[in-house]
Structure formats: structure tokens, C-alpha cells
Amino acid sequence: EVQLVESGGGLVQPGRSLRLSCAASGFTFDDYAMHWVRQAPGKGLEWVSGISWNSGSIGYADSVKGRFTISRDNAKNSLYLQMNSLRAEDMALYYCAKDISHLVGATAFDIWGQGTMVTVSS
Amino acid sequence: DIVMTQTPLSLSVTPGQPASISCKSSQSLLHSDGKTYLYWYLQKPGQSPQLLIYEVSNRFSGVPDRFSGSGSGTDFTLKISRVEAEDVGVYYCMQSIQLYSFGQGTKLEIK
């Protein structure tokens, strides 16, 4: 069964850091690009960041550029999101999503995890 | 950045009746490779989003044929020929010609 399981969310103060993880199983992880997509409470979907199969191509939304860093470890079938300088507007459910391709861009996401909640509050 | 605009933001449909959602992009989604990078997702209550339609009009694996997509350039439509109770949720269009961006979402409820 194809599965993505996020972890690492929680309550964090503004300005602090948090690292999210996504464990993948049921497919050949290093064949596909991977992404983080977030959803603020009661709001719509916002793409956050994506990384190609070999980490050679990485993209970020303008809202997180310079603060967030995406990475992957193909040996561990894992995706990560390092979030620094967190703001109130970063509070959201963060989904890990599998791409239908090995590249970032001109693609879509076919498998989503259940998400991990990040709460930014003092 | 490409802005995706959906209308309506909500609709209430009687089971068995059709439904239609419009999605307009601020720039053409037609790539030089000839493909148009427009997708439709459904997020059912309490669930993660699921892919319905890829590249404007192609149903993803397992998607019922009552769902269809059409359009070109900057104007796109998702149609449900006969709405069923299991179709409730929020529908999103998404473009991926320039990174990725989603529409605001259209909430479908059953009358």
C-alpha cells in the first residue's frame, strides 16, 4: 500500500524553528519528486515546496523562500521540511505529497499524507 | 505568479443533477510542449485532497466517468454529470506551468 506519514508538527513560538518529516512506503521513493503543501485552518491549499527525485531541482513558494528548506534522504525513503523564523501565518496542516513525475514543475500530486499540524503561537 | 480564480465558491446540488465549476488562470497554462497543465482535486470532508483530473481533461485512475474536465488557455471547467452524495467536498483547480498554485476552492453540498 502506498503511504505517506508526516510527523514533527506541534506548537512553536514565533521566530522559532521546526523540522517536519515524511516517511514514504509502498513505492520506489527515489523515482519521484516530492512536495509539501499546507492548509491553514478553514482555508484552501497552498503549495510550499517541491524537490526532484535526486534533489537537483528545488522550488519554494515566495511566502517561505529563505526561511524553509526542503530535503530528502532516498536511502531512508524520507522527505523533510526545515522551517525557520516561523510566523503566525505559517500555522497550518502540512501535507506531504508524491509527484506523478520525477521532476518539479509541469506535474501534479497523486498521493497525499494525512498531514501534520503546525501551530505558531506565543 | 499565476492566480487561479474559481467560481462559484459554493454550490448546492440535488442528487442526480449536474454541477459545473469554472476555473480561470491569470496566464495561459498552455506549455510550449503542447500540454496544458491544469488539474482538478477534490478534498472530501476530513480527508486529504485526491486527484480527479490531470492535464485539463484526463480522469485519474479510479475516478468515475461522471467527472469530466474541459477548457483551454486560461478558462477551464469541471463538470459532474449526475451528482452523488459521495461527491460532497471542496474542489480545487491547480496549475503547474509555473511552479504550483491552487484556486480558492469550491464547496459542493447536497440539497
Side-chain angles (χ1 to χ4, degrees):
Chain A
E1 179 193 5
V2 177
Q3 196 171 15
L4 298 171
V5 180
E6 303 93 337
S7 61
L11 174 63
V12 61
Q13 294 178 328
R16 304 299 291 264
S17 299
L18 207 58
R19 189 194 195 208
L20 305 183
S21 299
C22 171
S25 59
F27 64 99
T28 306
F29 183 72
D30 54 11
D31 275 353
Y32 297 96
M34 296 293 295
H35 302 264
W36 290 99
V37 179
R38 69 185 181 184
Q39 187 169 36
K43 302 297 184 181
L45 302 170
E46 179 188 16
W47 175 79
V48 173
S49 182
I51 185 168
S52 64
W53 67 284
N54 63 352
S55 304
S57 177
I58 287 175
Y60 296 99
D62 287 344
S63 57
V64 306
K65 202 173 294 182
R67 299 187 299 122
F68 290 11
T69 302
I70 192 172
S71 62
R72 64 189 295 162
D73 185 335
N74 287 344
K76 295 183 178 180
N77 289 347
S78 293
L79 176 71
Y80 306 101
L81 185 67
Q82 177 66 43
M83 304 186 295
N84 297 333
S85 303
L86 282 161
R87 305 167 179 169
E89 55 264 35
D90 295 320
M91 186 165 72
L93 184 64
Y94 283 73
Y95 292 105
C96 168
K98 170 187 166 293
D99 202 296
I100 59 175
S101 164
H102 59 292
L103 302 173
V104 173
T107 62
F109 324 128
D110 61 344
I111 304 295
W112 299 61
Q114 289 304 304
T116 186
M117 185 68 199
V118 173
T119 302
V120 183
S121 176
S122 54
Chain B
D1 294 3
I2 297 180
V3 176
M4 307 296 287
T5 303
Q6 291 181 227
T7 55
L9 297 184
S10 66
L11 70 165
S12 182
V13 182
T14 300
Q17 294 301 301
S20 180
I21 301 170
S22 171
C23 175
K24 296 183 188 297
S25 58
S26 59
Q27 300 177 34
S28 175
L29 302 185
L30 175 61
H31 194 274
S32 56
D33 64 7
K35 296 182 180 179
T36 299
Y37 292 104
L38 185 280
Y39 304 81
W40 289 97
Y41 287 87
L42 166 59
Q43 186 174 29
K44 295 183 177 182
Q47 296 186 18
S48 304
Q50 58 189 82
L51 181 61
L52 294 177
I53 302 287
Y54 65 96
E55 293 170 15
V56 180
S57 59
N58 300 285
R59 277 188 302 276
F60 189 60
S61 175
V63 175
D65 61 6
R66 64 179 180 275
F67 290 92
S68 64
S70 62
S72 63
T74 61
D75 290 354
F76 305 93
T77 302
L78 175 71
K79 292 183 178 178
I80 310 172
S81 58
R82 296 173 305 279
V83 169
E84 297 186 4
E86 66 180 23
D87 300 336
V88 298
V90 181
Y91 291 79
Y92 295 94
C93 59
M94 183 194 81
Q95 67 80 22
S96 65
I97 196 171
Q98 193 177 105
L99 290 180
Y100 306 85
S101 55
F102 293 90
Q104 320 97 299
T106 296
K107 185 175 184 178
L108 173 67
E109 64 173 22
I110 299 296
K111 276 184 184 176

